[in-house]
């Protein structure tokens, strides 16, 4: 399935966060590292400098748990979608590419809201809002939509950004309440675009 011959026994592997799709790192695998990754469901690379296999997180505990993988059309590059257990980079950052912020934080926020649903806490705003029922959640989305329109027409850009953020947050809670994921919405938008 994977052609290790093209790269003299090593192929590049791109690792993405399975939820946010943020690129976390790039490494290399030989056939042995690939087999170990598939068996243990933890990303294992071949270290070119140490000339040995190394499982990401073997010293730090910051493993990359494999959720899915995809081989490219030429069979000489692998994309792994993984759940990071802590920072990916040895410098302590989420990504080895040191991006200023997570551009896909909305997907991560969806995951945080799901966690609030699965593990409710009295201190959680999501839990308190959920306790008031779907009618109140839907009402909050409506209120935030109106406030977003007003901010767009009469207030500062910062006010508009804040109101838009409130709207998106409450819409994510409503989606969770309805049991609909952002992925479902994205697929629907993609289908409608065609």
């Amino acid at each position: 399935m994977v052609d290790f011959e093209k790269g003299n026994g090593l192929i590049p592997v791109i690792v993405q966060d399975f939820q946010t799709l943020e690129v976390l790192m790039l490494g290399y695998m030989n056939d042995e590292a690939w087999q170990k990754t598939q068996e243990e469901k933890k990303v294992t690379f071949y270290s070119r400098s140490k000339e040995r296999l190394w499982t990401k997180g073997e010293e730090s505990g910051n493993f990359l748990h494999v959720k899915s993988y995809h081989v490219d059309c030429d069979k000489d590059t692998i994309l792994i979608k993984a759940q990071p257990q802590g920072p990916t980079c040895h410098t302590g950052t989420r990504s080895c590419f040191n991006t200023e912020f997570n551009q896909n934080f909305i997907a991560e926020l969806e995951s945080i809201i799901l966690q609030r649903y699965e593990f409710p806490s009295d201190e959680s705003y999501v839990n308190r809002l959920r306790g008031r029922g779907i009618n109140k959640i839907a009402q909050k989305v409506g209120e935030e939509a109106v406030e977003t329109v007003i901010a767009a027409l009469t207030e500062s850009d910062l006010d508009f950004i804040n109101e838009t953020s409130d709207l998106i947050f409450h819409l994510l809670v409503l989606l969770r309440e309805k049991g609909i994921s952002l992925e479902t919405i994205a697929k629907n938008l993609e289908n409608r675009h065609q």
Side-chain angles (χ1 to χ4, degrees):
M1 181 177 196
V2 180
D3 187 353
F4 288 97
E5 296 303 314
K6 287 184 183 177
N8 295 320
L10 292 179
I11 61 166
V13 179
I14 302 160
V15 181
Q16 276 185 308
D17 184 298
F18 85 107
Q19 290 179 313
T20 68
L21 305 181
E22 180 180 14
V23 175
L24 300 176
M25 69 177 299
L26 168 73
Y28 292 87
M29 286 185 184
N30 61 10
D31 187 46
E32 187 181 1
W34 176 231
Q35 296 306 319
K36 186 174 180 184
T37 296
Q38 291 178 91
E39 290 167 12
E40 297 183 1
K41 304 293 187 219
K42 291 180 183 173
V43 177
T44 297
F45 295 105
Y46 179 81
S47 171
R48 295 172 298 166
S49 58
K50 298 176 184 173
E51 298 183 347
R52 69 170 180 86
L53 297 185
W54 66 278
T55 300
K56 177 69 183 100
E58 65 187 20
E59 293 178 15
S60 65
N62 297 329
F63 296 102
L64 293 169
H65 300 279
V66 177
K67 293 294 187 178
S68 66
Y69 62 84
H70 311 272
V71 179
D72 80 334
C73 57
D74 292 325
K75 298 182 175 24
D76 60 0
T77 304
I78 300 171
L79 170 65
I80 295 179
K81 294 185 180 180
Q83 180 174 15
Q85 184 178 330
T88 298
C89 187
H90 70 280
T91 64
T93 58
R94 244 183 94 71
S95 167
C96 291
F97 294 97
N98 201 17
T99 54
E100 291 181 26
F101 67 98
N102 179 357
Q103 295 180 34
N104 293 309
F105 181 73
I106 291 174
E108 187 171 333
L109 182 57
E110 178 187 39
S111 176
I112 292 168
I113 291 168
L114 176 60
Q115 289 174 352
R116 299 294 194 266
Y117 265 65
E118 291 177 350
F119 306 101
S121 162
D122 290 340
E123 294 82 39
S124 166
Y125 172 72
V126 170
N127 189 53
R128 291 192 305 274
L129 184 59
R130 181 182 184 201
R132 297 173 75 185
I134 192 167
N135 289 345
K136 183 60 179 173
I137 297 169
Q139 179 184 344
K140 280 298 287 179
V141 171
E143 290 170 8
E144 297 301 342
V146 170
E147 290 173 7
T148 299
V149 170
I150 292 169
L153 298 175
T154 64
E155 298 177 15
S156 71
D157 286 350
L158 180 58
D159 292 327
F160 177 65
I161 289 167
N162 284 326
E163 293 301 343
T164 302
S165 298
D166 289 345
L167 173 60
I168 291 171
F169 171 79
H170 286 91
L171 183 57
L172 287 172
V173 174
L174 182 59
L175 285 170
R176 173 52 31 215
E177 186 67 23
K178 295 288 292 179
I180 298 171
S181 68
L182 276 176
E183 182 179 355
T184 301
I185 301 300
K187 284 178 183 176
N188 187 53
L189 287 169
E190 182 180 32
N191 290 336
R192 289 167 58 180
H193 176 68
Q194 298 171 358

